[in-house]
Each structure stands twice: as C-alpha cells, then as structure tokens.
Amino acid sequence: RVLHTVDGNMACGGYISGANISDNCIILTQGEWKETHKLLTPRYRHSSWQVCEGVVLLGGAGGADTAELVEGKTGKTKKLFDLKYGFR
C-alpha cells in the first residue's frame, strides 16, 4: 500500500500493487492489519485530517471530487460534500 494517509494507527485508501486502488481503512492491532471501514469511493493521493467524529478524507485520485467522513466509533463512512473543483 502506497499513496495512502495515516491518522493515528489507521491507514486509509492508497494504491495496492497490481493496479488496485484501496477502498478501505485498516488499523494495526496486535501486530496485524485489520479492516475497519469500507470507503464510499476508492481513493489514493488524497488528504486527511482528524476531527472529533473520526477522519475526513478529501479528494485524491479515484475520489477526486468528494470528501467523506470515516466515523471513528461506528465503523461507518458517509459522504460529506462534493468539491467544487477537482483535487489531485
């Protein structure tokens, strides 16, 4: 996994070998990576930041015109808004 974001112990999105764009977030727990969330839009080369509710993923390739919230406590994701201009 490359071109992903990391917030705390959670990695989201990214590019996986074999021309696959990641559509999930994973956390490192007891030495193993475990999937915690399915993304609404596969994305890589995006931006992210932590907020009270979880982590916001913004733009990037694959999800270039959207922002989504990865909710920390529920395991859910939700679309926040469309971007007016593409972001890459």
Side-chain angles (χ1 to χ4, degrees):
R1 186 179 292 231
V2 297
L3 304 173
H4 57 283
T5 55
V6 175
D7 293 275
N9 68 336
M10 183 170 64
C12 291
Y15 186 81
I16 301 171
S17 63
N20 295 313
I21 302 171
S22 175
D23 66 349
N24 65 16
C25 293
I26 55 176
I27 62 168
L28 184 60
T29 304
Q30 298 178 346
E32 293 185 37
W33 289 102
K34 296 183 181 180
E35 181 177 302
T36 57
H37 299 80
K38 275 285 189 198
L39 301 180
L40 300 175
T41 305
R43 62 181 75 226
Y44 65 101
R45 295 177 61 191
H46 55 284
S47 296
S48 69
W49 68 93
Q50 288 184 309
V51 294
C52 294
E53 298 87 357
V55 175
V56 174
L57 305 179
L58 181 69
D65 297 328
T66 63
E68 67 183 282
L69 173 65
V70 176
E71 295 180 348
K73 295 181 181 177
T74 66
K76 297 179 181 179
T77 59
K78 67 179 179 182
K79 183 177 176 179
L80 291 177
F81 53 86
D82 292 317
L83 299 175
K84 185 173 182 178
Y85 302 101
F87 176 82
R88 296 181 196 263

